Amino acid sequence: MDDDRIADIVGQWGRERPDLDPTPLLIIGRIQQLAAALDTALRPPFAAADLGNGDFDVLAALRREGEPYTLTPGQLSQRMLVTTGAVTKRVDRLIARGLVSRAVSTADARGRVVGLTPAGVALTDRLIEEHLANEAAILRGLTDSDRKALERLLAAIDRNLASQDRGPEGASPTD
């Protein structure tokens, strides 16, 4: 028998509160369940490389920039969608491992840049190959058409969330 805990939950809410439409849980609940399962499936290569959560994000953001593989902490924060405080903690861990360095900016002597070391480039290049192979394996059961539809639908949810974050009339809560 197919064990679909999310469908069971929706059925229970439908029975207990027939005045409500619990069907959004069929999508949102599955997305949350998938997020946890994806973390479990994708984490092992990073753990084997002794990288903490988010450390690979720093390495990958720097590597994607191309040579000389440098960004300011603010740029890293924007690219990784985390606070500059989170960037600082991750960068400090990676400096201790010899994977990144911190230097004075050539453009602004008051600023700092974070850059990949040769060891950081080598590790990032190796891990991105493993990571993309893992992701491809996870998606292997989907046809190209399924993948394109899923990409489109997830992008639509993302756009909807972004527009809700903007508040009434498109204004940001911090505007």
Side-chain angles (χ1 to χ4, degrees):
M1 183 173 172
D2 202 7
D3 184 26
D4 187 345
R5 185 68 187 125
I6 303 297
D8 291 344
I9 291 168
V10 168
Q12 290 170 323
W13 279 119
R15 182 189 70 236
E16 294 299 315
R17 290 290 310 268
D19 58 313
L20 298 176
D21 175 14
T23 59
L25 286 169
L26 292 168
I27 296 170
I28 304 300
R30 285 192 174 105
I31 289 172
Q32 290 174 320
Q33 197 173 44
L34 282 170
L38 285 170
D39 184 59
T40 299
L42 296 174
R43 182 86 188 96
F46 306 125
D50 198 28
L51 294 176
N53 283 341
D55 290 349
F56 182 74
D57 292 343
V58 173
L59 299 174
L62 291 167
R63 180 65 177 89
R64 288 191 313 265
E65 282 302 305
E67 289 192 52
Y69 312 121
T70 60
L71 289 168
T72 67
Q75 290 169 323
L76 275 169
S77 173
Q78 290 173 340
R79 283 167 178 71
M80 297 179 348
L81 305 174
V82 297
T83 66
T84 54
V87 168
T88 299
K89 289 177 185 176
R90 293 172 186 181
V91 166
D92 288 346
R93 283 193 304 263
L94 294 168
I95 287 172
R97 298 262 324 269
L99 299 172
V100 301
S101 62
R102 192 180 283 126
V104 175
S105 170
T106 57
D108 177 4
R110 296 170 296 163
R112 300 287 180 261
V113 293
V114 177
L116 280 177
T117 64
V121 173
L123 179 63
T124 305
D125 284 349
R126 181 178 63 79
L127 287 175
I128 193 62
E129 289 177 23
E130 276 186 72
H131 182 60
L132 293 176
N134 284 347
E135 288 185 343
I138 289 167
L139 299 175
R140 193 164 286 129
L142 299 177
T143 65
D144 285 345
S145 176
D146 289 341
R147 287 172 70 155
K148 287 188 185 334
L150 186 55
E151 289 169 24
R152 183 180 52 76
L153 293 168
L154 291 172
I157 292 171
D158 189 42
R159 283 190 305 274
N160 189 43
L161 279 173
S163 70
Q164 288 177 9
D165 286 346
R166 298 291 300 169
E169 301 177 25
S172 171
T174 57
D175 284 350

Short mmCIF file of all heavy atoms in Angstrom, two decimals, residues 38-39 41-57 59-60 97 123-124 126-132 134-135:
data_model
loop_
_atom_site.label_atom_id
_atom_site.label_comp_id
_atom_site.label_asym_id
_atom_site.label_seq_id
_atom_site.Cartn_x
_atom_site.Cartn_y
_atom_site.Cartn_z
N LEU A 38 15.85 16.20 0.52
CA LEU A 38 16.94 16.67 -0.35
C LEU A 38 18.18 17.02 0.47
O LEU A 38 19.30 16.69 0.07
CB LEU A 38 16.49 17.88 -1.17
CG LEU A 38 15.56 17.58 -2.33
CD1 LEU A 38 15.00 18.87 -2.91
CD2 LEU A 38 16.27 16.77 -3.40
N ASP A 39 17.99 17.66 1.60
CA ASP A 39 19.14 17.98 2.45
C ASP A 39 19.86 16.70 2.86
O ASP A 39 21.09 16.63 2.80
CB ASP A 39 18.70 18.78 3.68
CG ASP A 39 19.88 19.21 4.51
OD1 ASP A 39 20.75 19.93 3.98
OD2 ASP A 39 19.95 18.82 5.69
N ALA A 41 19.85 13.82 1.28
CA ALA A 41 20.44 13.17 0.11
C ALA A 41 21.66 13.92 -0.43
O ALA A 41 22.59 13.29 -0.93
CB ALA A 41 19.39 13.04 -0.99
N LEU A 42 21.66 15.24 -0.31
CA LEU A 42 22.73 16.03 -0.92
C LEU A 42 23.87 16.38 0.03
O LEU A 42 24.94 16.77 -0.39
CB LEU A 42 22.14 17.33 -1.50
CG LEU A 42 21.15 17.14 -2.65
CD1 LEU A 42 20.52 18.48 -3.04
CD2 LEU A 42 21.81 16.48 -3.85
N ARG A 43 23.67 16.23 1.31
CA ARG A 43 24.65 16.65 2.32
C ARG A 43 25.91 15.79 2.41
O ARG A 43 27.00 16.31 2.71
CB ARG A 43 23.93 16.68 3.68
CG ARG A 43 24.77 17.13 4.83
CD ARG A 43 24.77 18.64 4.97
NE ARG A 43 25.73 19.03 5.97
CZ ARG A 43 26.98 19.41 5.71
NH1 ARG A 43 27.40 19.48 4.49
NH2 ARG A 43 27.80 19.73 6.67
N PRO A 44 25.86 14.46 2.18
CA PRO A 44 27.04 13.62 2.43
C PRO A 44 28.36 14.05 1.80
O PRO A 44 29.39 14.03 2.48
CB PRO A 44 26.59 12.22 1.96
CG PRO A 44 25.12 12.23 2.21
CD PRO A 44 24.68 13.63 1.86
N PRO A 45 28.42 14.46 0.53
CA PRO A 45 29.73 14.86 -0.01
C PRO A 45 30.32 16.07 0.72
O PRO A 45 31.53 16.16 0.91
CB PRO A 45 29.44 15.22 -1.47
CG PRO A 45 28.18 14.49 -1.80
CD PRO A 45 27.39 14.45 -0.52
N PHE A 46 29.47 16.99 1.15
CA PHE A 46 29.96 18.16 1.86
C PHE A 46 30.42 17.78 3.27
O PHE A 46 31.45 18.26 3.74
CB PHE A 46 28.87 19.25 1.93
CG PHE A 46 28.34 19.60 0.57
CD1 PHE A 46 26.99 19.54 0.30
CD2 PHE A 46 29.19 19.98 -0.46
CE1 PHE A 46 26.50 19.85 -0.96
CE2 PHE A 46 28.71 20.29 -1.72
CZ PHE A 46 27.36 20.23 -1.97
N ALA A 47 29.67 16.89 3.91
CA ALA A 47 30.07 16.41 5.24
C ALA A 47 31.39 15.65 5.15
O ALA A 47 32.26 15.80 6.01
CB ALA A 47 28.97 15.54 5.84
N ALA A 48 31.55 14.84 4.10
CA ALA A 48 32.79 14.08 3.92
C ALA A 48 33.98 15.02 3.72
O ALA A 48 35.11 14.68 4.08
CB ALA A 48 32.66 13.12 2.75
N ALA A 49 33.74 16.19 3.15
CA ALA A 49 34.79 17.19 2.96
C ALA A 49 34.93 18.09 4.19
O ALA A 49 35.67 19.07 4.16
CB ALA A 49 34.49 18.03 1.73
N ASP A 50 34.21 17.74 5.26
CA ASP A 50 34.24 18.48 6.53
C ASP A 50 33.79 19.93 6.36
O ASP A 50 34.34 20.84 6.97
CB ASP A 50 35.64 18.41 7.16
CG ASP A 50 35.62 18.76 8.64
OD1 ASP A 50 34.57 18.54 9.29
OD2 ASP A 50 36.64 19.28 9.14
N LEU A 51 32.77 20.12 5.52
CA LEU A 51 32.19 21.45 5.33
C LEU A 51 30.89 21.54 6.11
O LEU A 51 30.06 20.63 6.05
CB LEU A 51 31.92 21.72 3.85
CG LEU A 51 33.13 21.83 2.95
CD1 LEU A 51 32.70 22.00 1.50
CD2 LEU A 51 34.04 22.97 3.39
N GLY A 52 30.72 22.62 6.83
CA GLY A 52 29.48 22.86 7.56
C GLY A 52 28.39 23.32 6.61
O GLY A 52 28.65 23.65 5.44
N ASN A 53 27.16 23.36 7.12
CA ASN A 53 26.05 23.84 6.31
C ASN A 53 26.36 25.26 5.84
O ASN A 53 26.71 26.12 6.63
CB ASN A 53 24.74 23.84 7.10
CG ASN A 53 24.14 22.46 7.24
OD1 ASN A 53 24.48 21.56 6.48
ND2 ASN A 53 23.25 22.29 8.19
N GLY A 54 26.23 25.48 4.56
CA GLY A 54 26.46 26.79 3.99
C GLY A 54 27.89 27.06 3.56
O GLY A 54 28.13 28.00 2.81
N ASP A 55 28.85 26.27 4.02
CA ASP A 55 30.24 26.51 3.63
C ASP A 55 30.44 26.33 2.13
O ASP A 55 31.13 27.13 1.49
CB ASP A 55 31.19 25.57 4.38
CG ASP A 55 31.31 25.89 5.86
OD1 ASP A 55 30.82 26.96 6.29
OD2 ASP A 55 31.88 25.06 6.60
N PHE A 56 29.82 25.30 1.56
CA PHE A 56 29.96 25.09 0.12
C PHE A 56 29.33 26.24 -0.65
O PHE A 56 29.82 26.61 -1.72
CB PHE A 56 29.37 23.75 -0.33
CG PHE A 56 29.54 23.52 -1.81
CD1 PHE A 56 30.78 23.19 -2.32
CD2 PHE A 56 28.47 23.66 -2.68
CE1 PHE A 56 30.96 23.00 -3.69
CE2 PHE A 56 28.63 23.47 -4.04
CZ PHE A 56 29.89 23.14 -4.55
N ASP A 57 28.27 26.83 -0.11
CA ASP A 57 27.64 27.98 -0.78
C ASP A 57 28.64 29.12 -0.97
O ASP A 57 28.64 29.78 -2.01
CB ASP A 57 26.44 28.48 0.01
CG ASP A 57 25.28 27.51 0.03
OD1 ASP A 57 25.26 26.58 -0.81
OD2 ASP A 57 24.40 27.66 0.89
N LEU A 59 31.97 28.79 -1.14
CA LEU A 59 32.95 28.34 -2.14
C LEU A 59 32.36 28.42 -3.55
O LEU A 59 33.01 28.91 -4.49
CB LEU A 59 33.40 26.91 -1.84
CG LEU A 59 34.10 26.68 -0.50
CD1 LEU A 59 34.35 25.20 -0.28
CD2 LEU A 59 35.38 27.47 -0.41
N ALA A 60 31.13 27.96 -3.70
CA ALA A 60 30.49 27.94 -5.02
C ALA A 60 30.23 29.35 -5.53
O ALA A 60 30.43 29.64 -6.72
CB ALA A 60 29.19 27.14 -4.96
N ARG A 97 40.48 26.66 7.33
CA ARG A 97 40.77 25.45 6.54
C ARG A 97 41.70 25.73 5.36
O ARG A 97 42.07 24.82 4.63
CB ARG A 97 39.46 24.88 5.98
CG ARG A 97 38.45 24.43 6.99
CD ARG A 97 38.46 22.94 7.25
NE ARG A 97 38.72 22.09 6.13
CZ ARG A 97 37.82 21.55 5.32
NH1 ARG A 97 36.53 21.82 5.50
NH2 ARG A 97 38.17 20.76 4.33
N LEU A 123 38.87 22.01 -4.39
CA LEU A 123 37.81 21.34 -3.65
C LEU A 123 36.45 21.68 -4.25
O LEU A 123 35.60 20.79 -4.42
CB LEU A 123 37.84 21.73 -2.17
CG LEU A 123 36.75 21.10 -1.30
CD1 LEU A 123 36.89 19.58 -1.26
CD2 LEU A 123 36.78 21.68 0.10
N THR A 124 36.23 22.93 -4.58
CA THR A 124 34.94 23.34 -5.15
C THR A 124 34.69 22.63 -6.48
O THR A 124 33.59 22.14 -6.73
CB THR A 124 34.90 24.87 -5.34
OG1 THR A 124 35.18 25.49 -4.09
CG2 THR A 124 33.53 25.32 -5.84
N ARG A 126 35.84 19.78 -7.47
CA ARG A 126 35.55 18.37 -7.23
C ARG A 126 34.13 18.18 -6.68
O ARG A 126 33.38 17.34 -7.15
CB ARG A 126 36.57 17.76 -6.25
CG ARG A 126 36.32 16.28 -5.95
CD ARG A 126 37.36 15.68 -5.03
NE ARG A 126 37.42 16.25 -3.71
CZ ARG A 126 36.58 15.97 -2.72
NH1 ARG A 126 35.58 15.15 -2.91
NH2 ARG A 126 36.75 16.52 -1.53
N LEU A 127 33.77 19.01 -5.71
CA LEU A 127 32.46 18.86 -5.07
C LEU A 127 31.30 19.23 -5.99
O LEU A 127 30.23 18.61 -5.91
CB LEU A 127 32.39 19.69 -3.78
CG LEU A 127 33.20 19.14 -2.62
CD1 LEU A 127 33.15 20.10 -1.44
CD2 LEU A 127 32.71 17.76 -2.21
N ILE A 128 31.48 20.22 -6.87
CA ILE A 128 30.37 20.59 -7.75
C ILE A 128 30.07 19.45 -8.72
O ILE A 128 28.90 19.22 -9.06
CB ILE A 128 30.61 21.94 -8.48
CG1 ILE A 128 29.30 22.44 -9.12
CG2 ILE A 128 31.70 21.83 -9.51
CD1 ILE A 128 28.19 22.73 -8.17
N GLU A 129 31.08 18.71 -9.12
CA GLU A 129 30.84 17.54 -9.98
C GLU A 129 29.98 16.51 -9.24
O GLU A 129 29.00 16.00 -9.80
CB GLU A 129 32.16 16.91 -10.43
CG GLU A 129 32.92 17.75 -11.42
CD GLU A 129 34.25 17.15 -11.81
OE1 GLU A 129 34.43 15.91 -11.66
OE2 GLU A 129 35.12 17.91 -12.27
N GLU A 130 30.34 16.21 -8.01
CA GLU A 130 29.56 15.26 -7.20
C GLU A 130 28.15 15.79 -6.94
O GLU A 130 27.18 15.03 -7.03
CB GLU A 130 30.24 15.02 -5.84
CG GLU A 130 31.32 13.99 -5.85
CD GLU A 130 31.81 13.72 -4.44
OE1 GLU A 130 31.06 13.09 -3.65
OE2 GLU A 130 32.94 14.15 -4.13
N HIS A 131 28.05 17.05 -6.61
CA HIS A 131 26.76 17.65 -6.27
C HIS A 131 25.80 17.60 -7.46
O HIS A 131 24.64 17.19 -7.32
CB HIS A 131 26.98 19.09 -5.80
CG HIS A 131 25.75 19.81 -5.40
ND1 HIS A 131 24.93 19.37 -4.37
CD2 HIS A 131 25.17 20.94 -5.88
CE1 HIS A 131 23.90 20.20 -4.24
NE2 HIS A 131 24.02 21.15 -5.15
N LEU A 132 26.29 18.00 -8.63
CA LEU A 132 25.42 17.99 -9.81
C LEU A 132 25.05 16.56 -10.22
O LEU A 132 23.93 16.32 -10.67
CB LEU A 132 26.08 18.75 -10.96
CG LEU A 132 26.22 20.26 -10.73
CD1 LEU A 132 26.99 20.90 -11.88
CD2 LEU A 132 24.87 20.92 -10.53
N ASN A 134 24.65 14.10 -8.07
CA ASN A 134 23.61 13.73 -7.10
C ASN A 134 22.26 14.31 -7.49
O ASN A 134 21.22 13.64 -7.43
CB ASN A 134 23.97 14.20 -5.69
CG ASN A 134 25.03 13.35 -5.03
OD1 ASN A 134 25.35 12.27 -5.50
ND2 ASN A 134 25.61 13.86 -3.97
N GLU A 135 22.26 15.59 -7.86
CA GLU A 135 21.00 16.23 -8.27
C GLU A 135 20.42 15.56 -9.51
O GLU A 135 19.21 15.34 -9.59
CB GLU A 135 21.22 17.72 -8.51
CG GLU A 135 21.43 18.49 -7.23
CD GLU A 135 21.53 19.99 -7.44
OE1 GLU A 135 21.77 20.44 -8.60
OE2 GLU A 135 21.37 20.72 -6.45
#
